[in-house]
Amino acid sequence: MKILLVFASLVAAACSEQLFVGDQVLRIMASNEEQIALLRALGEQTELQVDFWRHPASPGHPSDLRVPFPSLQAVKTLLESNGISYSIMIQDLQKLLDEEKKAMAKSRRTERSTSTFDFASYHTIDEIYDWMDTLVADHPGLVSKLQIGQSYENRSLYVLKLSTGGSNRSAIWLDTGIHSREWITQATGAWTANKIAEEYGQDPSVTAILDNMDIFLEIIANPDGFAYTHSSNRMWRKTRSINAGSHCIGVDPNRNWDAGFGGSGSSSNPCSETYRGPYPHSEREVKAIADFILGHGNVKLVISIHSYSQMLLYPYGYKTAPAPDHQELNEVAKKAVSDLAAVYGTKYTYGSIVDTIYLADGTTIDWTYDHGVKYSFTLELRDMGCYGFILPSTQIIPTATETWAALLDIMVYVLEHPLFWLTMKVLVLLAALVAVATSTERFTGHQVLRIVPTTQEELQKVYELQDVEELQLDFWLAPRAPGHPVDIRVPLPSLQPLKEHLENNDISYSVMIKDVQALVEHEQTEMLHRPRQLVLSTDSFNFAAYHTLDEIYAFIDLLVAENPNLVSKIEIGRSTEDRPLYVLRFSRGGTNRPAIWIDTGIHSREWVTQASGVWFAKKIVQDHENDEDLASVLNEFDIFLEIVTNPDGFVFTHTQNRMWRKTRSRNSGSLCVGVDPNRNWNAGFGGAGASRSPCSETYHGPYANSEPEVRAIVDFVTNHGNIKAFISIHSYSQLLLYPYGYTNTPVPDHEELHEIAERAVTALSSLYGTSYEYGSIYTTIYQASGATVDWTYDQGIKYSFTFELRDTGRYGFLLPASQIIPTAQETWLALKVIMQYTLDHPY
């Protein structure tokens, strides 16, 4: 036997290329652990020169073994004598290799005649490196070539960088060909690089990935081994480094990583195909990747591509303990193999390395995972063993095409799932910088989810989400009580983690708004396309459209000019950014008359409120003589109407961020801007129902009345001293609320306020059937400290109310302009009830 093997080796050496005439690949099926142990021992018998293409894993799982012709009889006899079943997968390996060579020669002739690169053919290292240069030349603004090191035999280790620019961006690493004989992987790598370059700007997913992340792709991770497969031994797997004290060459580069290095899932024998090497990262090819990833510091995804077996694997391989992110990685793998199978029906298994195949220490993705690259995967491409490592070139493009579906799925997932918590903060900052750079923040892919907690425990979990600033969740409807909806605007990067969190806790949700940006753009289009004409009269003002601050202030001036005996404009203060705070006074004369106060737009993004305020102003002017109820109110009362209570925030919603709610004051010691002006009043200030965090949408501010917009109203109301009704108008939810919000103790006038609210919502719903709820803030929605109407009530203004206008969540703060007039009309009926009641019940 030994003489025959030596003779075969000498013949191969003389011919410079090893032949595999008569070599067979056996599929072996061990039925128990004893047989598994025997197979593993068989692999260590170097004199047989057997080569496990699929290593013994566990009983019932196939092992594929290439057996040299001289060893065939001995191996078959060993198997049969131990009752181990086997079948012949490949009858004569050399025949497949000869066919592979013919196909390459034919393709090469075609390429020479057409000056093209044939992705449906296998190529040498020189051909692939030349093609890489062509790809870079064809896509100079997107693709570049980096040299990250030199191999043992001094070949360049080239990596393609696909990037749209920027420094140290989050990155994706893909490598192929770390096991040199797995030619389908290098071929797939070339196809994939070309696919990414061609699809940028065409495919939305590829474009989104490259607009936010860089992709690094090392097509030939083991160039010495790859060159050797073409020149000398098609079945070569390892590197080509010299092992001291042994005539056997090379190290398995997927057992050389510093992750469980030297354990039982690799070999200490330099002649073994799984020889781990003398120490971790002894191989230049491995060290170059490790140094690159560590040096980069922001790689978020690593996918190392092998063949064969049709598997998608994740850590760990060197230990049986599940990775901390096991559940998430399993879900990602499940989705990816499903998408892969959808292309041609190719079935993949998936799971951790140790559970799916076998114990394997020192692997690429175990090291990357242990170094913080959470999304670390290994793909084992086609097939299941019919051809093994000699997959016909006719399967290159189908393999690459279906693999692309899985790769794209994983890359998109990583884009949408940045790592918590530091990474989320980085993305938050990035988003802020992008918003500043582009002047207008976009909400592409943002969704509004409606969550309905059914238990106190579920409600608590939703409450806790308000404190996770890194997710940048925007609560449109805050948590109230079990059975009541919570609406949250969720940025695209936070969508999947939030949905998974809810699903894992069995909290039901639905999508109210599928893409916030689509509604914003529709709103912008309507505003841009409305007729542009010089408004010379309030009669020609378009009340069915949304308007800017300048347009509203111009309307105010026209209204005053047209009605000098009824309407006047008062400046009650200046905003943080020094804008005037204007209030309209509707009065038939007299001094210090009792008054009614109405304000709209204290939360700047609630555009239907400012639009309704404009309509109310015109309505008062139109009806002050022919509407007996309104006339009787104006005979005794003045009406003060502040249409744009938060002008800085309102301008910001038009120029930079449509979803801005707060003021625009600077917060000392924080990058976050603004205060919630409806948590800044000196009524239970700083208590539960407001936030101490300057980044929160409900931040109460550093002290009560810190905001000039709030202080101006406080001073005006205090100095006036005779305001009898105070109505602050918000949206959305369709509610009419009265004090208190900061305490669950009912106000002394609870019953009377409740009766007024009932009458008002009855009048409101009589017009279009719009249904409103009513009650105290605390009992109807939630605890809220520092609210406007709690302060006004505590100052002696008994009839203090807050409206939350349309709708109940279908559009939320993006209510179509077509609903402005219906909303204002029905709200006016409720306002009249409150004003008339105030007139009829002096105090």
Side-chain angles (χ1 to χ4, degrees):
M1 170 71 72
K2 289 184 179 178
I3 293 173
L4 282 172
L5 289 173
V6 171
F7 178 73
S9 299
L10 290 171
V11 171
C15 299
S16 80
E17 182 177 356
Q18 185 168 338
L19 299 176
F20 300 89
V21 178
D23 287 19
Q24 293 184 349
V25 178
L26 307 183
R27 170 148 292 182
I28 304 168
M29 194 71 72
S31 59
N32 54 51
E33 287 296 341
E34 184 180 356
Q35 292 180 353
I36 291 289
L38 191 148
L39 291 177
R40 288 173 179 161
L42 177 63
E44 295 297 320
Q45 296 182 35
T46 54
E47 66 273 13
L48 292 175
Q49 287 195 304
V50 294
D51 173 14
F52 272 104
W53 285 14
R54 293 179 73 173
H55 288 262
S58 58
H61 288 80
S63 302
D64 293 349
L65 182 67
R66 179 180 64 81
V67 185
F69 178 71
S71 302
L72 266 177
Q73 195 57 48
V75 170
K76 290 180 179 179
T77 299
L78 176 69
L79 296 174
E80 291 163 4
S81 63
N82 285 278
I84 302 175
S85 63
Y86 69 89
S87 59
I88 299 173
M89 293 292 289
I90 298 176
Q91 183 73 37
D92 186 343
L93 181 57
Q94 189 61 43
K95 288 184 178 180
L96 291 185
L97 297 178
D98 291 343
E99 291 172 5
E100 184 178 68
K101 279 187 179 180
K102 289 179 183 176
M104 286 183 69
K106 181 180 179 182
S107 173
R108 194 168 284 117
R109 288 193 297 270
T110 303
E111 287 180 326
R112 280 198 296 265
S113 65
T114 59
S115 299
T116 58
F117 187 86
D118 184 3
F119 291 101
S121 176
Y122 292 120
H123 293 88
T124 65
I125 185 170
D126 291 338
E127 290 168 341
I128 292 175
Y129 278 3
D130 286 345
W131 169 80
M132 287 169 65
D133 291 336
T134 300
L135 185 72
V136 171
D138 288 345
H139 303 276
L142 182 67
V143 188
S144 59
K145 185 177 75 172
L146 312 177
Q147 182 176 333
I148 65 169
Q150 299 280 123
S151 71
Y152 182 83
E153 294 178 345
N154 213 32
R155 289 182 174 88
S156 299
L157 299 170
Y158 287 133
V159 174
L160 288 174
K161 178 183 181 183
L162 298 106
S163 175
T164 54
S167 59
N168 198 38
R169 300 203 306 170
S170 297
I172 293 163
W173 172 276
L174 310 175
D175 66 61
T176 57
I178 198 166
H179 284 153
S180 49
R181 64 185 173 188
E182 299 168 2
W183 283 10
I184 183 62
T185 69
Q186 296 96 333
T188 296
W191 186 95
T192 301
N194 187 69
K195 180 73 170 177
I196 296 170
E198 293 293 332
E199 291 294 311
Y200 178 72
Q202 304 297 319
D203 182 283
S205 296
V206 174
T207 304
I209 291 164
L210 286 175
D211 281 347
N212 292 279
M213 305 180 81
D214 294 340
I215 298 175
F216 295 96
L217 172 52
E218 187 176 19
I219 297 174
I220 306 175
N222 178 6
D224 295 348
F226 188 56
Y228 197 71
T229 61
H230 281 273
S231 64
S232 302
N233 181 346
R234 175 63 178 85
M235 289 298 104
W236 192 260
R237 163 188 169 101
K238 301 188 287 181
T239 63
R240 292 294 299 165
S241 57
I242 304 301
N243 295 310
S246 173
H247 67 279
C248 293
I249 292 176
V251 168
D252 181 346
N254 199 38
R255 298 295 187 278
N256 188 239
W257 297 78
D258 194 11
F261 179 82
S264 59
S266 63
S267 177
S268 58
N269 180 357
C271 296
S272 169
E273 293 290 354
T274 59
Y275 174 52
R276 66 178 74 105
Y279 53 87
H281 303 177
S282 62
E283 303 311 283
R284 295 181 184 179
E285 298 82 356
V286 170
K287 190 175 187 304
I289 301 173
D291 289 348
F292 179 85
I293 289 175
L294 291 175
H296 187 282
N298 203 16
V299 174
K300 302 304 179 187
L301 166 64
V302 167
I303 303 177
S304 188
I305 300 178
H306 294 246
S307 75
Y308 61 99
S309 287
Q310 297 175 194
M311 295 179 175
L312 180 52
L313 308 170
Y314 50 82
Y316 283 116
Y318 72 87
K319 59 183 177 181
T320 56
D325 303 290
H326 169 86
Q327 187 173 348
E328 182 182 5
L329 296 177
N330 195 65
E331 287 301 313
V332 174
K334 180 181 178 180
K335 175 68 163 51
V337 301
S338 175
D339 287 348
L340 184 153
V343 181
Y344 297 113
T346 308
K347 301 299 182 185
Y348 269 53
T349 54
Y350 60 93
S352 71
I353 300 170
V354 72
D355 290 337
T356 310
I357 47 176
Y358 42 64
L359 191 66
D361 51 74
T363 66
T364 309
I365 65 168
D366 279 4
W367 182 85
T368 58
Y369 183 83
D370 281 347
H371 283 77
V373 185
K374 174 179 170 185
Y375 302 112
S376 293
F377 294 94
T378 289
L379 274 162
E380 294 280 357
L381 305 186
R382 292 190 187 186
D383 60 3
M384 294 296 289
C386 181
Y387 295 101
F389 301 124
I390 317 298
L391 196 70
S393 58
T394 54
Q395 293 197 38
I396 292 174
I397 292 180
T399 300
T401 303
E402 67 190 9
T403 304
W404 173 246
L407 291 176
L408 188 60
D409 190 82
I410 296 171
M411 290 192 291
V412 168
Y413 183 93
V414 172
L415 174 66
E416 295 175 350
H417 294 76
L419 298 180
F420 299 117
W421 298 104
L422 179 61
T423 305
M424 279 302 285
K425 289 180 178 176
V426 171
L427 279 179
V428 167
L429 180 59
L430 177 64
L433 292 173
V434 170
V436 170
T438 58
S439 80
T440 302
E441 184 163 342
R442 296 181 62 80
F443 305 92
T444 305
H446 292 212
Q447 294 184 350
V448 177
L449 303 186
R450 169 151 291 182
I451 303 167
V452 184
T454 57
T455 65
Q456 203 64 42
E457 181 182 6
E458 289 182 3
L459 184 67
Q460 182 59 35
K461 289 188 182 297
V462 177
Y463 265 121
E464 291 168 356
L465 290 172
Q466 295 180 103
D467 298 323
V468 186
E469 293 176 0
E470 293 80 2
L471 290 176
Q472 281 201 304
L473 303 180
D474 177 9
F475 280 78
W476 285 15
L477 285 181
R480 294 165 58 181
H484 288 80
V486 179
D487 292 352
I488 309 176
R489 178 178 62 82
V490 187
L492 178 62
S494 302
L495 263 178
Q496 199 57 37
L498 178 63
K499 288 180 178 180
E500 287 179 359
H501 174 76
L502 297 173
E503 290 163 5
N504 291 339
N505 288 281
D506 296 321
I507 301 173
S508 64
Y509 68 89
S510 58
V511 179
M512 293 294 287
I513 299 176
K514 191 168 184 59
D515 187 349
V516 172
Q517 186 62 29
L519 289 186
V520 171
E521 289 175 358
H522 179 74
E523 184 179 70
Q524 290 171 341
T525 300
E526 283 192 331
M527 290 184 70
L528 289 170
H529 291 169
R530 71 173 188 248
R532 293 285 175 178
Q533 59 187 48
L534 183 63
V535 178
L536 301 175
S537 163
T538 58
D539 290 336
S540 61
F541 188 86
N542 186 358
F543 295 97
Y546 290 119
H547 295 272
T548 65
L549 180 71
D550 290 341
E551 290 169 339
I552 291 173
Y553 277 6
F555 163 83
I556 287 173
D557 290 338
L558 277 176
L559 193 72
V560 172
E562 291 169 355
N563 304 277
N565 296 324
L566 178 67
V567 189
S568 59
K569 182 180 76 172
I570 306 168
E571 183 179 326
I572 64 169
R574 309 288 290 191
S575 71
T576 294
E577 296 178 346
D578 205 34
R579 291 183 173 88
L581 301 169
Y582 289 137
V583 173
L584 285 173
R585 178 190 182 191
F586 301 86
S587 176
R588 287 185 171 160
T591 58
N592 199 35
R593 299 204 309 164
I596 294 165
W597 172 280
I598 302 170
D599 67 60
T600 58
I602 196 168
H603 284 153
S604 48
R605 64 185 173 188
E606 299 168 3
W607 281 11
V608 72
T609 69
Q610 297 96 331
S612 293
V614 170
W615 189 92
F616 298 152
K618 182 65 173 176
K619 184 68 171 174
I620 293 170
V621 167
Q622 286 177 327
D623 290 2
H624 74 99
E625 291 180 343
N626 53 26
D627 183 313
E628 292 182 5
D629 292 337
L630 178 60
S632 63
V633 169
L634 285 172
N635 284 338
E636 301 293 332
F637 284 80
D638 291 345
I639 298 174
F640 294 99
L641 171 58
E642 187 175 18
I643 296 174
V644 187
T645 308
N646 177 7
D648 295 348
F650 187 57
V651 169
F652 199 71
T653 62
H654 281 272
T655 60
Q656 296 195 41
N657 183 344
R658 175 63 179 86
M659 290 298 110
W660 192 261
R661 163 188 169 101
K662 301 188 287 181
T663 63
R664 292 294 301 166
S665 57
R666 299 296 183 265
N667 294 309
S668 177
S670 175
L671 293 174
C672 296
V673 174
V675 168
D676 182 345
N678 198 38
R679 298 294 188 277
N680 188 238
W681 300 74
N682 194 17
F685 177 83
S691 176
R692 292 175 292 179
S693 170
C695 297
S696 170
E697 293 289 353
T698 59
Y699 174 49
H700 50 56
Y703 52 87
N705 305 343
S706 63
E707 302 312 282
E709 298 84 356
V710 172
R711 185 77 217 172
I713 301 174
V714 167
D715 291 346
F716 180 85
V717 170
T718 303
N719 292 334
H720 188 282
N722 200 17
I723 293 178
K724 299 301 180 182
F726 193 107
I727 303 164
S728 188
I729 298 180
H730 295 247
S731 76
Y732 63 99
S733 286
Q734 297 176 193
L735 305 170
L736 180 51
L737 308 170
Y738 49 81
Y740 284 123
Y742 70 87
T743 175
N744 61 3
T745 302
V747 295
D749 303 293
H750 170 83
E751 289 186 8
E752 184 181 8
L753 295 179
H754 196 77
E755 180 185 346
I756 297 169
E758 181 180 18
R759 293 185 189 180
V761 299
T762 299
L764 183 153
S765 62
S766 69
L767 187 59
Y768 297 112
T770 308
S771 178
Y772 266 55
E773 293 180 54
Y774 56 94
S776 74
I777 298 169
Y778 194 105
T779 60
T780 308
I781 47 173
Y782 42 66
Q783 188 173 13
S785 56
T788 310
V789 298
D790 280 4
W791 180 83
T792 57
Y793 184 86
D794 282 348
Q795 299 302 305
I797 303 176
K798 179 165 70 167
Y799 302 122
S800 292
F801 293 93
T802 291
F803 277 85
E804 294 282 356
L805 304 186
R806 291 190 187 185
D807 58 6
T808 58
R810 169 64 183 86
Y811 295 101
F813 301 124
L814 296 167
L815 196 72
S818 59
Q819 293 197 40
I820 292 173
I821 291 176
T823 300
Q825 288 173 330
E826 66 190 11
T827 306
W828 177 247
L829 297 181
L831 289 175
K832 283 180 59 180
V833 167
I834 296 170
M835 291 190 293
Q836 186 66 47
Y837 188 96
T838 303
L839 173 65
D840 295 342
H841 296 80
Y843 62 94

